[in-house]
Amino acid sequence: VTLDDIYALFQRSQEEADRRFAAADRRAAESRAEFDRRMAESRAEFDRGMAESRAEFDRGMAESKAEYDKRIAKSEAIAAQANRAVNSLSSRWGRFVENIVAPAALRLFQEQGMAVQEVYQRVRSARGNRNLEIDILVVDDDVAVAIEVKSRLTQDSIRQVLRSLEQFKQAFPHYASYRLYGAVAAIEI
């Protein structure tokens, strides 16, 4: 065996190694390409699934919002109807109480020594920017009694009566020289 034979053997071994490395590189590149392709397919399938899930979620949310809006509108309509019914009942109840108090007002104040002769219900004034309503007004030649009628009397009701009395002579200037008294009548205090 000569040095050339050994060199030729190394050279063939190197060529075989290069061929095997090239084949391994080619298989690795093919494996990498197959991996990338499968990953791209998986990613595309995942994205499709996410898009379908998002669309389903959005549809469900839109349906839920529409149902929620419908229920809110229905609740608001029921509340408005109940409010109208309560206001109507309250208004009727207030007038009922006023109709009980008005006839008794003359007698009550006459018994207190006031020579009142006239009773007016729901007296209203709209002078300038002052709007004032007195439930019952009892008057004589120089005395006026403004009566506020409540089904339920509260501290806020008393405050409102006092504010009304402060504005009374501006709202009703023809009573400016009268002695003014305030009164409240209520079913529940």
Side-chain angles (χ1 to χ4, degrees):
V1 172
T2 65
L3 199 50
D4 286 335
D5 291 336
I6 293 175
Y7 180 72
L9 183 62
F10 279 131
Q11 207 168 14
R12 279 194 309 271
S13 293
Q14 184 63 44
E15 288 171 359
E16 181 61 24
D18 288 345
R19 186 187 62 76
R20 286 185 180 182
F21 283 134
D25 287 344
R26 190 178 60 254
R27 282 193 306 275
E30 289 171 358
S31 292
R32 178 67 185 180
E34 179 64 18
F35 176 78
D36 289 345
R37 185 185 62 76
R38 286 186 180 176
M39 284 301 292
E41 287 175 359
S42 293
R43 178 64 184 194
E45 188 175 329
F46 176 78
D47 288 346
R48 275 192 306 275
M50 286 301 292
E52 289 172 5
S53 294
R54 164 72 66 165
E56 182 65 27
F57 176 79
D58 290 345
R59 271 193 307 278
M61 287 302 291
E63 290 171 4
S64 294
K65 182 166 181 351
E67 181 66 25
Y68 172 78
D69 290 345
K70 190 187 310 179
R71 286 183 181 185
I72 289 295
K74 186 175 181 181
S75 295
E76 287 173 350
I78 290 170
Q81 182 181 10
N83 194 23
R84 284 190 302 274
V86 166
N87 287 341
S88 173
L89 181 60
S90 177
S91 176
R92 284 190 220 140
W93 181 247
R95 285 196 179 155
F96 174 74
V97 174
E98 286 175 23
N99 289 332
I100 292 172
V101 172
L106 275 178
R107 181 185 46 80
L108 178 70
F109 289 107
Q110 286 170 351
E111 288 173 0
Q112 297 300 315
M114 294 181 188
V116 291
Q117 300 297 316
E118 301 168 8
V119 176
Y120 303 100
Q121 286 184 254
R122 297 200 172 252
V123 180
R124 294 184 183 147
S125 173
R127 291 189 187 273
N129 62 353
R130 285 191 167 83
N131 290 318
L132 187 62
E133 180 178 324
I134 304 298
D135 293 335
I136 300 172
L137 181 63
V138 181
V139 295
D140 190 15
D141 295 335
D142 63 346
V143 174
V145 181
I147 305 171
E148 181 70 21
V149 178
K150 295 288 185 187
S151 55
R152 183 170 186 270
L153 185 65
T154 64
Q155 287 181 342
D156 287 338
S157 302
I158 299 294
R159 288 186 195 101
Q160 179 59 42
V161 169
L162 293 174
R163 283 191 294 271
S164 295
L165 290 174
E166 289 172 358
Q167 299 174 4
F168 182 85
K169 290 187 178 185
Q170 291 83 24
F172 301 98
H174 47 281
Y175 293 111
S177 63
Y178 282 52
R179 281 181 303 168
L180 178 63
Y181 296 96
V184 293
I187 298 293
E188 179 184 352
I189 298 175

